[in-house]
Amino acid sequence: MPDHPPPAFVPARELIAAHGGRVTRTRVAVIEALQASPHPLSHDEIGATLAAAGIAHDRVTLYRALDWLVEQGIAQRIAGGERAWRFEIRSDGEHRHAHFHCDRCGQILCLEDVPAGPDPALPAGFELARSELVFHGACADCGREGAKAAKR
Amino acid sequence: MPDHPPPAFVPARELIAAHGGRVTRTRVAVIEALQASPHPLSHDEIGATLAAAGIAHDRVTLYRALDWLVEQGIAQRIAGGERAWRFEIRSDGEHRHAHFHCDRCGQILCLEDVPAGPDPALPAGFELARSELVFHGACADCGREGAKAAKR
DNA sequence: GCTTTTAATGCTACAATGTTGCATCAAACA
DNA sequence: TGTTTGATGCAACATTGTAGCATTAAAAGC
């Protein structure tokens, strides 16, 4: 179903070094996991990926690695329908796009074709840093099964 | 700063009864708190309002009261920059508008003039339930103080 | 290659937010 | 007024995220 033409990503090691950070197992693995995924990943999912790759890691370390990536502009956060954040890699020059959150399975996917929209006219004194456009509903897989236990 | 012309809200008791729910202190107070606020309130803020009004309440009860309001379409959730949800009353027939989240003070306010935008063309099989357009940055108050401890 | 420096890591402990189960209470209705 | 059952209040727990600090190892200098 993911129909992304895989972008030519900058190698993780270069990306990290270019931002003046130390190239560590954790960071490399996190970036590669994000790059390999067609949709934004949660902290939990990334942790599972690292574990599957046999890379020992601590919950806190992962939080901090992700914080650093966001801080550096390498990755970005998307607020899903739950409390947890999702993360996706920020390909340089890529346009900001909207996201779709499936309220049943919780999956978030990128709507590459839907731009995040124009900047609004904000009241005086307000500074705009970024915008988030998230659509909610049921994805094709969940929608087919009819309205089952759709909470929230 | 809030420049809302206060909408003529349906009295809380009627609103609850119209949805087939029991008219309880908690629900009435929650609805009135939301109706009185110019911006979406967090669970915590609502709890504080109830406490200030001398209405005994339990954390869980408040969660459930809010769940019910959302379920009934009386209120709606907005995902802020933190984990916690914000709630606002849904005036009937009101247009969906965007929100602004101040990354410094955490406040969310309504951008009444900014529509939530047109529905996107979703892949086949997808069902759209609602959309959320949230802008992030610094509000006028926080922006004036310059970039202090602006994390995330 | 070896040493030094300090950024990252991995613990532990904790805070905040939200959920589940169940006994009790009280709103609505006869 | 009594009955029914939706709503509440409590306790216990789950999840997500943060703070402090000792230890490790990446990178730079020798």
Side-chain angles (χ1 to χ4, degrees):
Chain A
M1 181 191 316
D3 50 352
H4 295 240
F9 281 121
V10 179
R13 318 187 75 89
E14 288 179 25
L15 210 45
I16 298 169
H19 284 84
R22 290 188 181 172
V23 178
T24 64
R25 279 180 315 164
T26 308
R27 284 183 181 170
V28 171
V30 169
I31 291 177
E32 288 178 349
L34 291 176
Q35 288 178 332
S37 172
H39 57 258
L41 296 174
S42 67
H43 172 278
D44 216 38
E45 290 169 321
I46 298 170
T49 304
L50 294 215
I55 294 171
H57 67 284
D58 177 72
R59 229 161 46 87
V60 180
T61 301
L62 185 45
Y63 275 118
R64 290 196 272 233
L66 287 167
D67 277 350
W68 185 81
L69 291 181
V70 171
E71 197 180 297
Q72 297 298 320
I74 296 174
Q76 66 186 8
R77 265 184 252 266
I78 298 105
E82 307 92 29
R83 310 174 255 179
W85 292 99
R86 305 289 175 128
F87 299 85
E88 74 176 350
I89 212 72
R90 239 165 60 120
S91 315
D92 207 39
E94 192 188 16
H95 68 284
R96 296 288 321 237
H97 55 263
H99 293 93
F100 183 90
H101 177 264
C102 177
D103 292 337
R104 299 201 191 141
C105 65
Q107 195 66 260
I108 288 194
L109 81 166
C110 305
L111 299 175
E112 304 281 3
D113 302 330
V114 183
D119 290 354
L122 291 175
F126 279 64
E127 292 166 22
L128 180 66
R130 68 182 207 282
S131 63
E132 260 193 41
L133 177 55
V134 182
F135 295 99
H136 293 261
C139 69
D141 287 343
C142 294
R144 260 195 283 280
E145 301 170 23
K148 290 167 68 180
K151 198 199 170 189
R152 133 171 346 164
Chain B
M1 179 192 316
D3 51 351
H4 295 239
F9 282 121
V10 179
R13 317 188 75 89
E14 287 179 26
L15 211 43
I16 298 168
H19 284 84
R22 287 189 182 174
V23 180
T24 64
R25 280 179 317 166
T26 309
R27 286 183 181 170
V28 171
V30 169
I31 291 177
E32 288 178 350
L34 291 177
Q35 287 178 334
S37 171
H39 57 258
L41 295 174
S42 66
H43 172 278
D44 216 37
E45 290 169 320
I46 298 169
T49 305
L50 294 214
I55 294 172
H57 67 285
D58 176 73
R59 230 162 45 87
V60 180
T61 301
L62 184 46
Y63 276 118
R64 290 197 271 233
L66 286 167
D67 278 349
W68 185 81
L69 291 180
V70 171
E71 197 179 297
Q72 297 298 319
I74 296 173
Q76 65 187 7
R77 265 183 251 266
I78 298 104
E82 307 93 27
R83 307 175 259 179
W85 291 99
R86 305 288 175 130
F87 299 85
E88 76 176 351
I89 211 73
R90 239 165 61 119
S91 315
D92 207 40
E94 191 188 16
H95 68 285
R96 296 288 320 236
H97 55 263
H99 293 93
F100 183 88
H101 177 263
C102 176
D103 292 336
R104 299 201 191 142
C105 65
Q107 194 67 257
I108 288 194
L109 79 167
C110 304
L111 300 174
E112 302 281 3
D113 301 331
V114 183
D119 292 352
L122 291 175
F126 279 64
E127 291 167 21
L128 181 67
R130 68 184 207 279
S131 64
E132 260 194 41
L133 177 56
V134 183
F135 296 99
H136 293 260
C139 70
D141 288 343
C142 294
R144 261 195 285 280
E145 301 170 24
K148 290 167 70 179
K151 198 198 168 188
R152 133 165 351 161

